[in-house]
Amino acid sequence: MGEKFLGHHCEWNLGSPGGWDYQRMAQELGRLSWDKIKRLSGIDIELDFGHSLLNPVPTFARLLLRAHKQRFGRQEAFIVLVAEEETLEKVGENIHFVNFLNRLPGVAAALASPRSLEAKGDAITLEGRRITVIFLDFNNNVVVKLRKKYNLNPLINAIRQGIVINPRGIEPIGAKGIFEVVTGEYKSLMSRTTVSRTPWTRQFYPRSTTGPSGEKIPDLVEWVRDHWERIILKPVHGYSGKGIIIGYQHENPDKSLQYALNSGGYIVQLLTPLNLWAEEFPWIDRKEGRVFVKRWQTDFRCFITDTGLIGFVARFGGVPTNVGSGGGAKGVAVLRSQIGVREAIDRINQAIVDLGYRTVAEIQEEIDKKAVEMGFVYLLGPIMTTLRPRIITPKHLSQLQYYSKNLWKDAVKLNGLWQAGKLTNFVDISEEEEEIARLAPWDGGPALICTDGLYSFGGHLSLNNAFI
Ligand SMILES: Nc1ncnc2c1ncn2[C@@H]1O[C@H](COP(=O)(O)OP(=O)(O)O)[C@@H](O)[C@H]1O
Ligand SMILES: [Mg+2]
């Protein structure tokens, strides 16, 4: 019955993952859209937008309060979200979250640039007030970069004292090269779910290695050329989908291979067939005045903390599927009717198309208006969303919870290996970044990590032409 979700994660982000508040907004927009569609079409399918896993904001706040409590007990919390100066007025997610924290009893919060922190003896302060927890909105490479320009000693002190979430020592094992040991050398130390959800990955340079089925590969470059349709090359320091090369999209493998080898710092990974993580969503074409179903790629981020899975970000777009590359975010709903995901999707898509262009355009307009009011915008401008939510079942939620618990345990193990110097060859970071990471070793304590999944919950497109 397609109960088990399919697919792989394509990366882990352990530095300072975001998207929690975008998902809160996407949920509200998704619910608004669904209420209207349901009322107007009369469709008899029950969707639940209210499950606690569908809004990670309160649980994320609780994570910061746990970190506060460990150190400051019952004292009043002063949580500071530290972000790069030029983003302070632009990134709605951070502004909204600080407002949310300020509404919690016994909690004060502020948004600040790293330069505005001060040190008074042991205390790290903002405008004279002692900070009890910092959530740092950027990665260690940015700490290194800013440190060259400004005096960041108060922030460095805060990192060393352990009041910065995430502890900076967590970041290295989020490196894309780590998947090589998860699917190779340290596979036997990892949970079954982590291994089966991690795509075979190798650092890309002329070498011999083992392949996806454990077979010997005498010459990796040659192997990649021979399996060009099934692979993706990604820069280890890539972000927002920059620099990725999807084999089958490039007719001339030699040129791309040479490019990746010359640039250096690439990994090769098995491609998760695009149809497996694509779904159809109703979409409107304003120019032609029609509603139709459009294929989108769907990325599914899981947020995980020391207490387990706390929520998702459901993105959609092309390949790469990053909001930084023009992607959007959509609501997620739990299917409460006793029908399959495929049937639910088909019926909902049809019901929306049947409403006709004028009605759907009105709904869309209302959603767009609400989105702007809410601040559903990213650095590039308004974020797009879908009329229909991503649909998931209670069974998928428990599978994801189990997967997340295991992944957390495995991340702690890998971190231990990194601290012991056993992963240096797979984590390609500068000495200065390593110095920052070593200031605050992570021991499995409160942190927010995420994995980006290319998953199917049963709504994927036909797999006849598997890699498209
Ligand atoms: N193994 C893969 N199979 C198919 N597509 C992938 C794979 N890995 C990455 N992608 C595509 O590339 C995008 C970016 O990849 P990701 O590993 O998350 O790097 P980045 O750090 O640039 O976000 C993903 O959103 C997805 O669209
Ligand atoms: Mg990514």
Side-chain angles (χ1 to χ4, degrees):
M1 257 293 281
E3 294 282 21
K4 194 164 177 193
F5 76 93
L6 306 171
H8 295 98
H9 44 233
C10 65
E11 69 161 341
W12 297 343
N13 181 337
L14 311 190
S16 68
W20 11 273
D21 190 68
Y22 289 111
Q23 191 60 29
R24 176 192 61 79
M25 292 189 272
Q27 284 304 121
E28 279 190 43
L29 297 170
R31 190 199 293 258
L32 174 73
S33 172
W34 176 243
D35 285 348
K36 293 206 175 294
I37 288 157
K38 195 158 189 229
R39 191 164 42 78
L40 293 168
S41 69
I43 188 169
D44 63 341
I45 289 181
E46 293 309 318
L47 296 183
D48 172 5
F49 286 82
H51 195 289
S52 62
L53 280 174
L54 302 179
N55 178 9
V57 169
T59 20
F60 174 39
R62 279 204 286 280
L63 154 76
L64 299 181
L65 289 170
R66 266 200 308 286
H68 160 83
K69 211 165 167 197
Q70 277 188 358
R71 223 184 157 77
F72 293 93
R74 298 174 72 88
Q75 287 178 47
E76 183 165 305
F78 182 40
I79 301 175
V80 177
L81 200 161
V82 172
E84 284 183 271
E85 203 155 326
E86 61 275 18
T87 68
L88 293 181
E89 282 171 17
K90 280 196 214 148
V91 176
E93 166 153 279
N94 292 343
I95 299 168
H96 299 162
F97 187 54
V98 164
N99 292 340
F100 175 86
L101 290 170
N102 271 318
R103 288 196 295 272
L104 298 177
V107 178
L111 183 56
S113 79
R115 271 209 288 174
S116 53
L117 308 182
E118 290 176 318
K120 287 207 178 89
D122 265 356
I124 310 301
T125 61
L126 178 70
E127 289 165 5
R129 181 166 188 178
R130 182 169 196 171
I131 301 171
T132 64
V133 176
I134 289 175
F135 180 73
L136 196 57
D137 180 50
F138 46 77
N139 289 342
N140 294 346
N141 61 338
V142 175
V143 178
V144 169
K145 181 186 87 185
L146 296 176
R147 205 180 175 187
K148 291 187 175 143
K149 283 208 264 179
Y150 310 116
N151 171 8
L152 282 198
N153 289 344
L155 177 65
I156 301 291
N157 262 337
I159 292 173
R160 193 181 285 121
Q161 285 180 20
I163 64 167
V164 172
I165 302 294
N166 285 345
R168 295 292 96 192
I170 199 172
E171 194 182 305
I173 51 151
K176 290 190 173 72
I178 286 290
F179 282 10
E180 172 158 349
V181 299
V182 174
T183 59
E185 199 176 340
Y186 293 122
K187 193 170 169 174
S188 59
L189 298 181
M190 302 284 106
S191 315
R192 195 180 43 76
T193 47
T194 303
V195 173
S196 68
R197 296 293 173 190
T198 306
W200 174 86
T201 302
R202 291 294 182 264
Q203 298 184 85
F204 186 60
Y205 57 91
R207 60 183 286 200
S208 60
T209 185
T210 47
S213 315
E215 72 277 21
K216 190 111 199 76
I217 296 180
D219 179 342
L220 181 62
V221 179
E222 204 50 49
W223 189 92
V224 171
R225 188 184 285 110
D226 290 345
H227 296 79
W228 192 235
E229 300 284 305
R230 292 178 58 199
I231 63 92
I232 177 168
L233 292 162
K234 305 198 270 194
V236 281
H237 293 300
Y239 58 93
S240 290
K242 295 196 196 314
I244 65 168
I245 300 167
I246 295 188
Y248 82 87
Q249 291 180 346
H250 298 258
E251 268 185 24
N252 184 347
D254 288 319
K255 220 170 121 192
S256 304
L257 288 172
Q258 211 47 54
Y259 173 81
L261 289 170
N262 290 346
S263 312
Y266 263 82
I267 53 159
V268 57
Q269 189 166 86
L270 276 187
L271 191 73
T272 305
L274 304 197
N275 274 5
L276 186 74
W277 49 287
E279 280 187 18
E280 288 180 325
F281 292 86
W283 203 250
I284 67 167
D285 180 340
R286 285 218 161 84
K287 262 198 216 123
E288 292 193 17
R290 66 185 185 114
V291 199
F292 63 110
V293 286
K294 184 171 164 68
R295 171 208 172 115
W296 287 107
Q297 295 304 133
T298 62
D299 172 305
F300 199 80
R301 169 170 286 191
C302 289
F303 289 118
I304 309 168
T305 75
D306 46 320
T307 62
L309 177 68
I310 66 158
F312 317 113
V313 186
R315 294 182 292 192
F316 71 102
V319 186
T321 326
N322 302 71
V323 176
S325 288
K330 57 186 154 36
V332 180
V334 182
L335 181 60
R336 295 293 179 202
S337 301
Q338 299 304 310
I339 53 171
V341 169
R342 171 90 267 160
E343 185 186 341
I345 289 177
D346 289 345
R347 283 178 51 199
I348 296 170
N349 284 356
Q350 193 59 49
I352 297 174
V353 171
D354 287 347
L355 287 176
Y357 175 73
R358 280 173 71 105
T359 307
V360 177
E362 269 170 34
I363 299 174
Q364 184 76 57
E365 234 158 74
E366 198 170 324
I367 292 169
D368 292 348
K369 202 170 129 228
K370 181 94 198 256
V372 172
E373 272 168 29
M374 279 178 157
F376 195 56
V377 289
Y378 189 57
L379 298 168
L380 301 173
I383 304 178
M384 52 179 191
T385 189
T386 53
L387 289 153
R388 160 178 89 68
R390 184 98 193 253
I391 293 172
I392 187 167
T393 67
K395 280 215 170 95
H396 295 138
L397 290 179
S398 8
Q399 289 160 17
L400 287 166
Q401 279 169 320
Y402 181 61
Y403 152 86
S404 300
K405 269 228 160 353
N406 286 342
L407 200 134
W408 179 271
K409 271 194 295 200
D410 293 336
V412 177
K413 269 190 205 161
L414 286 166
N415 202 267
L417 289 168
W418 181 75
Q419 284 178 32
K422 297 207 163 126
L423 296 178
T424 319
N425 293 340
F426 304 92
V427 178
D428 187 7
I429 52 174
S430 68
E431 265 176 41
E432 294 148 302
E433 276 175 65
E434 179 163 345
E435 187 201 328
I436 303 289
R438 296 219 182 262
L439 287 177
W442 178 57
D443 57 2
L448 179 71
I449 68 176
C450 78
T451 100
D452 289 347
L454 310 178
Y455 298 141
S456 162
F457 300 111
H460 57 269
L461 301 180
S462 142
L463 294 176
N464 288 344
N465 192 352
F467 285 92
I468 307 298

